[in-house]
Amino acid sequence: MSEKTVRVELDARSYPIHIGSGIWEQYLLPLTVGAEVALMVDDNVAAQPWFAALRTKLTVSAAKFVLLSVVAGEKTKNLSVFSQLCSELARAKISRRGKIIAVGGGVVGDLAGFVAASYLRGIALVQVPTSLLAAVDSSVGGKTGVNLPEGKNLVGAFCQPVAVIIDLDFLQTLPSRELAAGMAEVVKYGIIRDPEFFELVKNGAPRDLSRVIEKSVLIKAGVVANDEREETGLRAMLNFGHTIGHAIEQTTGYGQWLHGEAVSVGMIGAAWLSHRLVGLPLTVTREIYSALVANKLPVTISGLDFARLAPVIAMDKKSTGKSVNWVLCPELGRTTQNNKVPDEMLREAIEICAGRKAI
Ligand code: GLY
């Protein structure tokens, strides 16, 4: 693949997203020469064959180096681990000039980003995503944070990275479950923003991921550049499927379902609500279902029920006052927001998500 760079245009906080194979040294090392570097990974990343070389080269290039390693998985994204990481930085005497290099999936990126936003009131962050989901979504756009027992991502900060480096070689060894989870966000971009892109990905993940990554980050960069802090309603469209998805993650215990898997089932619920409330044709609702199946994603999770999910959905951080801000899709490529989803309709959507009712 030829190498590509997409820019997130945010005035003084603009940054490049580099995409290509074998590119990490070219873009990462210059950012670390003579710097105070905190490399943050999880134990899966630390076990990768390329990790030793990356660590050694950063150690040589940096003036000061500390490795922050966390246990892999969503359960790690909590305030206690956040606090331990800040203490490790303090003990290593990382100053305001320090840089956190987050090499990993969404959990590492979100946690590292929140540490970067908070430690000494903010130090620089470089995102090096190693999962498809992190590459196409969580490493771009500056949302960082941790989960609370009460809900997903309820504590966090906006912290734009200084660069995102997507080295496709790091994605080569992704387990198929992780790959599928990333495709959930890719399919989402097609649904909310680009019917042609939906056509391209509706039959499954292509062998060469470069095109889907580039297109996904182009869509995300465009949305973030126009509504960085989710204030105008534009960025909220990226939450399609996430209202039910987050509630699934929380009520099933963080980590049982990968974020992308929960979002896949959440998109089934959101597509159904879109059909019932804003006129998404049933044929398209079924096409969305088939696209998620073709991408090897779960479309139902048995045991989901209204009584458990509804109170968690009501806590959703996107709630405005008393009502939840639902992102719905009246037609492929377009979204609308609705804060009046009747309980009976939500109950019906959850029956579908649980597989007790057919679409
Ligand atoms: N993942 C949703 C967003 O970045 O806004």
Side-chain angles (χ1 to χ4, degrees):
M1 176 224 176
S2 56
E3 198 186 301
K4 289 272 164 49
T5 298
V6 172
R7 276 188 74 75
V8 182
E9 298 293 352
L10 289 167
D11 299 323
R13 284 166 297 102
S14 298
Y15 55 93
I17 305 167
H18 303 291
I19 310 162
S21 289
I23 61 167
W24 73 264
E25 281 194 58
Q26 180 190 344
Y27 291 109
L28 186 56
L29 289 186
L31 297 173
T32 61
V33 178
E36 298 173 22
V37 168
L39 171 62
M40 185 167 152
V41 298
D42 67 18
D43 39 18
N44 285 342
V45 168
Q48 294 301 312
W50 42 262
F51 176 69
L54 184 142
R55 178 186 177 163
T56 305
K57 289 197 173 163
L58 290 187
T59 318
V60 171
S61 140
K64 191 184 274 183
F65 177 87
V66 59
L67 177 68
L68 308 177
S69 184
V70 298
V71 175
E74 190 72 30
K75 282 193 165 59
T76 289
K77 233 178 85 170
N78 63 52
L79 280 170
S80 147
V81 173
F82 163 78
S83 155
Q84 284 161 30
L85 291 167
C86 292
S87 291
E88 284 186 57
L89 291 178
R91 284 197 294 270
K93 299 194 167 35
I94 297 295
S95 78
R96 278 211 179 111
R97 292 188 308 276
K99 283 183 181 142
I100 299 189
I101 316 285
V103 181
V107 169
V108 167
D110 285 8
L111 199 47
F114 189 36
V115 172
S118 315
Y119 179 70
L120 301 180
R121 300 195 182 88
I123 63 173
L125 169 71
V126 180
Q127 293 275 15
V128 185
T130 61
S131 72
L132 180 60
L133 190 129
V136 298
D137 182 27
S138 55
S139 68
V140 175
K143 278 192 182 174
T144 72
V146 295
N147 304 324
L148 294 183
E150 289 77 11
K152 173 105 176 157
N153 295 337
L154 286 187
V155 176
F158 284 96
C159 174
Q160 299 296 346
V162 295
V164 180
I165 301 165
I166 305 175
D167 192 321
L168 300 168
D169 290 356
F170 291 169
L171 307 184
Q172 289 297 328
T173 51
L174 271 185
S176 54
R177 189 176 170 201
E178 293 273 348
L179 181 69
M183 285 307 292
E185 299 285 359
V186 171
V187 172
K188 179 195 79 180
Y189 289 123
I191 297 170
I192 63 171
R193 206 68 171 152
D194 190 332
E196 270 179 38
F197 188 46
F198 179 78
E199 279 300 308
L200 183 78
V201 297
K202 73 175 191 189
N203 296 319
R207 271 170 59 86
D208 176 5
L209 289 172
S210 58
R211 233 176 113 200
V212 298
I213 293 176
E214 187 194 342
K215 184 71 192 165
S216 299
V217 300
L218 265 171
I219 292 175
K220 179 137 189 194
V223 170
V224 169
N226 287 292
D227 183 19
E228 181 187 7
R229 291 185 166 245
E230 206 168 306
E231 285 162 344
T232 68
L234 182 71
R235 184 166 182 165
M237 75 161 67
L238 300 174
N239 299 327
F240 181 75
H242 285 57
T243 305
I244 295 177
H246 283 166
I248 292 173
E249 284 183 86
Q250 197 230 311
T251 56
T252 55
Y254 295 117
Q256 182 181 344
W257 295 96
L258 296 176
H259 175 66
E261 294 172 333
V263 166
S264 172
V265 177
M267 286 196 286
I268 296 294
W272 182 256
L273 292 174
S274 302
H275 166 59
R276 297 283 271 133
L277 291 167
V278 294
L280 182 70
L282 190 56
T283 47
V284 181
T285 311
R286 288 184 175 144
E287 248 192 290
I288 291 174
Y289 183 98
S290 304
L292 296 169
V293 172
N295 276 283
K296 303 188 170 56
L297 282 155
V299 281
T300 58
I301 292 177
S302 63
L304 295 180
D305 76 277
F306 179 84
R308 282 208 73 196
L309 287 178
V312 177
I313 287 171
M315 278 288 293
D316 191 273
K317 69 182 186 307
K318 295 173 292 297
S319 300
T320 46
K322 286 189 186 147
S323 52
V324 174
N325 188 28
W326 289 90
V327 180
L328 302 179
C329 169
E331 61 180 334
L332 278 182
R334 195 161 69 81
T335 58
T336 178
Q337 285 161 48
N338 181 316
N339 59 8
K340 290 191 183 63
V341 171
D343 273 0
E344 279 325 294
M345 211 71 90
L346 176 58
R347 195 182 291 277
E348 203 176 279
I350 291 172
E351 287 299 291
I352 286 171
C353 293
R356 290 188 292 270
K357 176 177 165 60
I359 286 191

